[in-house]
Amino acid sequence: MTVKAIFENGMFKPCEPIRLEEHTEIEVTIPATAPSDADDPTGWKTTEALIGFIDDAPADTAEHHDDAYLGARR
């Protein structure tokens, strides 16, 4: 069961009625939120985090970018 709730005054308050017996123990999972654009308005932090994430990539993929592009058009 998935339940939407609001956290208020130190308690989770369901947005809709829930049929549970009093004192039923439940487990609450709070999903991680995506970082806001305010932390990285230009996207450079995100871009820098991607540098080197492919272990076997060529050292400089951009060096031969035009070769592949022009080769396909010739």
Side-chain angles (χ1 to χ4, degrees):
M1 170 188 331
T2 300
V3 176
K4 287 190 176 189
I6 296 172
F7 187 71
E8 186 175 88
N9 296 324
M11 295 175 33
F12 290 100
K13 296 181 180 183
C15 295
E16 298 178 10
I18 300 172
R19 292 185 179 193
L20 288 175
E21 291 185 30
E22 286 292 318
H23 306 288
T24 299
E25 187 173 314
I26 62 168
E27 184 173 309
V28 177
T29 302
I30 302 172
T33 57
S36 76
D37 288 344
D39 295 340
D40 187 14
T42 62
W44 279 111
K45 288 180 186 176
T46 302
T47 303
E48 288 175 344
L50 294 174
I51 295 172
F53 81 100
I54 300 175
D55 294 332
D56 58 348
D60 187 359
T61 314
E63 183 177 334
H64 300 287
H65 174 269
D66 289 343
D67 296 341
Y69 175 74
L70 295 173
R73 295 188 57 144
R74 289 183 186 159

